[in-house]
Amino acid sequence: MEELLVVDGVWKKFGDKVVLKNVSLIVHSGEVVGLLGPNGAGKTTLLRIISGVLKPDQGRISIKGLDPIDPEARKLIGFCPQEPGLIPDLTGFENMLFYARLQGLDGKNVINRIKELSGIMGLTNDMDRLVRKYSGGMKKKLGLATTLIHDPEILILDEPTTGMDPGVRREVWRIIEEERKRGKGILIATHYMEEADALSDRVYIIDQGRIIASGSPEELKSKYGPTAVITIEFYRQPRNLDSVLQRIGLKYIVDGDNVRIHSSDPDRDVPGIVALIHEAGGTIRSLRVAKPTLEDVFLKLTGRRIE
């Protein structure tokens, strides 16, 4: 596979705050690379540097051997920010035509490309509507369509499915997978563990501006995750839930009515956990033992969950 994007030792400061600390990563042709981390970890800053919007203080970015600010490099990149730069008083069609012309595209082929992408995104019947009347999910899909208008080799996607309902999110995942099959190199910044796990060939986990782990999702879970995760759903949570969980002495994540507890030996740990919960007045609805997730990896590495 060809190296399309190389990030080598990038640092970035805003005032006295160091936002990126010696960040390096690679994206090859025909692969999806996930940049997984909490909000404020430095993901958006890195993507803006890669796309040429910001300059790094130190380090190097290579787009097929070119600097991101090189006009030829910009032709290779499709950057979709968290909030697509759509013009609300233009129609969906007019927005796509505007972005096509920004890329120097014109003529009948552009019209055909707009029709093709609007069909892929499920927006064919909405292209004559003003964008101000679009839902949030429709705007996200139109933003992705404008990113793809010039058929770039490298896609840089910043939280591409934030705010989407599950059905629309799956549609976007399908589109991303189709672009990967066409040989595109795709970098996705996300804080959704399921998204990183489902789409990524490789994942870089970023926290407080630093890459703290990298590998395929399965490699990361095998290397850093617990042997098993005990997931408990409550009919009634025990009194002082955190105190009870701290008495168990294992790492855990509280998620609404559910608790995920890391265990190296669930056969040994489950009876004691159940006894402590009942002793504290809790009633268990369900308990299951499963493999770890990427969120469990993050918890193991940092001691906290991704927010």
Side-chain angles (χ1 to χ4, degrees):
M1 294 187 294
E2 182 183 4
E3 290 184 356
L4 298 181
L5 166 65
V6 177
V7 177
D8 184 16
V10 165
W11 292 74
K12 185 65 181 178
K13 288 176 64 177
F14 293 113
D16 294 330
K17 183 177 182 182
V18 181
V19 180
L20 295 174
K21 306 170 185 177
N22 196 31
V23 171
S24 298
L25 59 80
I26 297 175
V27 179
H28 298 91
S29 58
E31 74 169 350
V32 177
V33 173
L35 184 64
L36 176 64
N39 293 324
K43 301 190 302 294
T44 293
T45 297
L46 179 60
L47 298 198
R48 294 178 72 192
I49 290 173
I50 290 169
S51 62
V53 177
L54 294 173
K55 289 186 176 182
D57 296 326
Q58 297 179 48
R60 181 181 68 94
I61 308 289
S62 171
I63 309 294
K64 293 188 72 174
L66 301 172
D67 189 285
I69 64 173
D70 188 314
E72 291 304 311
R74 290 179 179 269
K75 293 178 183 178
L76 300 173
I77 297 173
F79 176 44
C80 187
Q82 287 190 41
E83 296 295 331
L86 302 173
I87 304 169
D89 289 323
L90 296 182
T91 65
F93 177 85
E94 290 167 339
N95 267 273
M96 290 192 68
L97 188 61
F98 172 77
Y99 276 97
R101 288 177 174 165
L102 280 182
Q103 294 291 343
L105 306 177
D106 211 340
K108 184 177 180 181
N109 288 340
V110 171
I111 304 301
N112 290 337
R113 179 66 171 160
I114 291 173
K115 289 180 179 178
E116 175 190 10
L117 287 171
S118 62
I120 290 171
M121 299 296 167
L123 294 172
T124 299
N125 296 329
D126 301 290
M127 294 303 286
D128 292 330
R129 294 175 59 193
L130 294 179
V131 167
R132 68 166 60 255
K133 297 181 179 179
Y134 278 25
S135 67
M138 291 168 65
K139 289 177 182 176
K140 281 278 193 179
K141 290 197 288 184
L142 183 63
L144 183 55
T146 63
T147 300
L148 296 172
I149 190 68
H150 60 299
D151 201 21
E153 289 188 51
I154 306 167
L155 299 180
I156 310 296
L157 310 178
D158 192 0
E159 301 282 358
T161 63
T162 298
M164 291 183 176
D165 64 48
V168 177
R169 180 174 296 155
R170 296 282 177 173
E171 289 179 26
V172 172
W173 288 6
R174 177 187 57 77
I175 292 163
I176 291 170
E177 176 60 20
E178 287 299 317
E179 292 298 308
R180 185 190 68 78
K181 289 178 181 177
R182 294 182 61 220
K184 304 293 178 70
I186 305 170
L187 178 62
I188 301 177
T190 182
H191 65 276
Y192 292 136
M193 277 63 60
E194 182 189 9
E195 185 161 89
D197 205 344
L199 292 177
S200 303
D201 298 290
R202 291 185 296 114
V203 175
Y204 290 84
I205 298 179
I206 186 170
D207 185 44
Q208 298 180 5
R210 190 183 299 277
I211 301 294
I212 59 174
S214 64
S216 72
E218 290 308 313
E219 287 170 346
L220 289 170
K221 286 181 281 190
S222 175
K223 183 175 181 179
Y224 298 106
T227 302
V229 179
I230 302 164
T231 300
I232 299 172
E233 183 181 2
F234 296 103
Y235 278 118
R236 182 177 67 249
Q237 288 190 0
R239 298 180 297 275
N240 302 316
L241 177 60
D242 277 323
S243 296
V244 174
L245 294 172
Q246 287 167 16
R247 287 176 61 193
I248 292 169
L250 300 171
K251 287 191 175 182
Y252 63 89
I253 300 171
V254 178
D255 186 11
D257 291 332
N258 296 341
V259 171
R260 298 211 309 274
I261 301 171
H262 292 186
S263 172
S264 59
D265 187 347
D267 290 336
R268 175 199 65 201
D269 293 333
V270 166
I273 291 169
V274 171
L276 281 172
I277 287 171
H278 285 166
E279 180 184 317
T283 306
I284 294 173
R285 181 188 185 96
S286 66
L287 184 152
R288 61 187 177 87
V289 179
K291 293 181 179 180
T293 67
L294 287 175
E295 184 168 21
D296 297 309
V297 171
F298 188 82
L299 177 64
K300 182 76 173 290
L301 290 169
T302 68
R304 54 191 174 84
R305 63 179 300 190
I306 293 180
E307 299 290 352

